[in-house]
Amino acid sequence: MKKYSTSNVKIKRKVGLALSGGGTRGLAHVGVIKAFNEERIGFDYVAGTSVGSLIGALYCADVGMDAIVAEAKLVERRELLRRFLVNSDSANIARVANRLLVDRTFEQLSIPFTAVAVDILTGSEILLSDGNVAQAVSASCAVPGLFKPVRIGDRLLVDGGLLNNMPADVCRAMGAQIVIGVDLNHNRGSGARSEKLTDIVIAAWNITTKSTMYKGLQNSDIVIEPELGEYNRARLDNIDEMVAEGYRAAKAQMPGIKKLLGLK
């Protein structure tokens, strides 16, 4: 039987956290969670897409936020992407994730968690909530064109951002009555930084995922929007700055969040 953690403050209604995709800008999610930890606010349900699934899974596995930052600083680009970028092995993501998840299954997580992916064979949104967590995370993070799809059973899975980049509706389906969303790219769709292949692929992805935010925005009671436009979502530079910006954005919204949750 699953054993779920509870928050340190009494909240009458069930609360969900929906973490969006956004490449390496996902380190801002760490700062957001740090802000909630500081306020002793926990969550009953968590759902994540792409990098949001990675940070969400680690949070639900009780991995400390400082440990995530330390691991991120050790990760090298070549660990994740091939030299020429196209169709890098998604298992690389699973290996990096597993260094902190240590082969955990969803049943072993402290908080109910769902990772969002898309079956590229059928075009269907797939919710992953059982089996190996690192494998599910690698599927949710498999951006088409950058990573190979991940086969789980008879499904061929890619990044969930194709259909649902901030899965607040998934949190509601899990049982959340209040949902707080975190959007890493609220200025998405602004175009490419250069003519480099990486920047073009990322710009195309941002334009695509702009239209997949609708469900997330409609199902979130509050959306935290870190200002991350100056950071390249394909690089692991400025880690501390992105964490700090996530923290700042969450703290700025905290009075409204606490009011919504019925806290002083």
Side-chain angles (χ1 to χ4, degrees):
M1 182 176 180
K2 288 188 179 181
K3 186 177 181 181
Y4 298 143
S5 64
T6 57
S7 60
N8 293 315
V9 293
K10 298 292 184 181
I11 300 172
K12 293 182 179 179
R13 293 190 285 174
K14 299 293 185 181
V15 185
L17 178 65
L19 301 176
S20 83
T24 54
R25 292 175 181 172
L27 271 300
H29 286 319
V30 171
V32 170
I33 291 171
K34 280 190 169 189
F36 282 111
N37 287 345
E38 188 177 276
E39 298 289 341
R40 296 172 59 209
I41 296 171
F43 295 91
D44 300 286
Y45 308 99
V46 178
T49 296
S50 199
V51 72
S53 76
L54 172 59
I55 304 300
L58 294 171
Y59 171 60
C60 293
D62 295 323
V63 175
M65 295 300 106
D66 289 339
I68 296 173
V69 172
E71 180 64 28
K73 289 179 178 180
L74 295 175
V75 174
E76 297 183 11
R77 179 186 173 95
R78 65 181 177 225
E79 261 197 289
L80 297 175
L81 294 171
R82 291 171 53 191
R83 181 180 177 187
F84 297 108
L85 300 178
V86 178
N87 280 336
S88 293
D89 193 346
S90 301
N92 296 344
I93 301 172
R95 280 192 290 272
V96 170
N98 220 28
R99 290 209 288 261
L100 292 173
L101 287 168
V102 196
D103 290 320
R104 280 185 178 87
T105 66
F106 281 85
E107 288 290 321
Q108 294 171 316
L109 299 178
S110 297
I111 303 169
F113 171 68
T114 299
V116 178
V118 170
D119 186 346
I120 201 66
L121 299 177
T122 65
S124 302
E125 180 178 334
I126 303 299
L127 305 183
L128 301 170
S129 57
D130 57 48
N132 181 274
V133 180
Q135 185 184 36
V137 165
S138 69
S140 184
C141 292
V143 178
L146 290 184
F147 293 100
K148 294 177 181 177
V150 176
R151 184 169 290 282
I152 298 180
D154 59 355
R155 294 166 172 160
L156 195 61
L157 303 178
V158 298
D159 195 303
L162 275 174
L163 291 177
N164 193 351
N165 201 43
M166 189 175 71
D169 62 312
V170 175
C171 285
R172 293 212 182 270
M174 293 170 75
Q177 297 161 298
I178 295 172
V179 179
I180 297 167
V182 185
D183 182 5
L184 299 178
N185 300 290
H186 66 93
N187 59 351
R188 61 177 57 76
S190 56
R193 291 171 176 262
S194 73
E195 295 182 14
K196 293 180 180 178
L197 176 60
T198 313
D199 288 338
I200 291 172
V201 170
I202 288 170
W205 185 252
N206 283 339
I207 292 166
T208 299
T209 58
K210 186 174 184 178
S211 65
T212 74
M213 286 296 295
Y214 178 76
K215 286 191 295 183
L217 296 172
Q218 287 291 102
N219 284 279
S220 295
D221 295 285
I222 288 180
V223 179
I224 298 169
E225 298 178 333
E227 296 296 336
L228 301 167
E230 66 182 282
Y231 305 115
N232 189 323
R233 56 176 284 163
R235 297 178 64 87
L236 278 169
D237 303 326
N238 308 111
I239 288 173
D240 291 331
E241 291 88 342
M242 289 189 286
V243 172
E245 174 53 23
Y247 177 85
R248 182 209 64 78
K251 292 293 279 188
Q253 292 269 36
M254 204 58 71
I257 292 169
K258 293 173 82 170
K259 182 178 180 180
L260 179 66
L261 299 180
L263 302 174
K264 294 182 179 180

